[in-house]
Amino acid sequence: MKSILFIHNSAQLGGGSNALVDIVASLDRRIYHPVILLARKGPIADLFRARGIKTYVKRFSILPCYDYVRMTLSFNSAIRLFKFFALLPYTFWTVIRLLKAEQIDLVYI
């Protein structure tokens, strides 16, 4: 059996989260063992747990998404970048520990 770690930054249902639910639901559970790592608690974590899928909620660094707005240098964006870099070592070790503990074969981000 192959273990797959799915890392997702949203806790809400919609868009990419719904696609992730569909992907995980379509896996043959006799061949693949899905493990989910989420950055926040929310409806998607409850949905995965209700389906018997091992789900971890650990805070990890996420860069802010500026796809729809023009990024400007402001105090707020500087704080977000600082948080990202401050959490980066914690994120790294969290994922490494999870890879070892769950004997992960493939990571899907």
Side-chain angles (χ1 to χ4, degrees):
M1 185 176 294
K2 298 288 184 186
S3 294
I4 304 173
L5 174 63
F6 293 88
I7 301 176
H8 190 59
N9 65 342
S10 176
Q12 302 302 316
L13 288 173
S17 299
N18 287 340
L20 179 60
V21 170
D22 291 343
I23 290 168
V24 173
S26 68
L27 290 175
D28 185 346
R29 298 288 290 275
R30 295 170 293 174
I31 300 172
Y32 301 105
H33 171 68
V35 178
I36 311 295
L37 173 61
L38 301 171
R40 296 175 191 88
K41 293 180 184 178
I44 192 170
D46 300 333
L47 182 65
F48 284 128
R49 288 183 178 132
R51 294 180 179 198
I53 298 168
K54 190 175 273 190
T55 304
Y56 294 90
V57 177
K58 304 275 185 182
R59 186 173 177 194
F60 57 84
S61 58
I62 301 169
L63 274 177
C65 180
Y66 291 107
D67 290 344
Y68 302 108
V69 295
R70 197 170 140 223
M71 185 174 170
T72 59
L73 188 57
S74 66
F75 182 72
N76 190 27
S77 62
I79 293 295
R80 287 181 177 186
L81 286 173
F82 175 77
K83 283 183 182 178
F84 171 78
F85 287 114
L87 282 173
L88 200 54
Y90 172 77
T91 301
F92 174 79
W93 289 113
T94 298
V95 172
I96 293 296
R97 282 193 302 266
L98 197 54
L99 292 174
K100 289 180 180 179
E102 294 291 336
Q103 300 177 348
I104 301 296
D105 297 302
L106 177 69
V107 177
Y108 180 95
I109 300 174

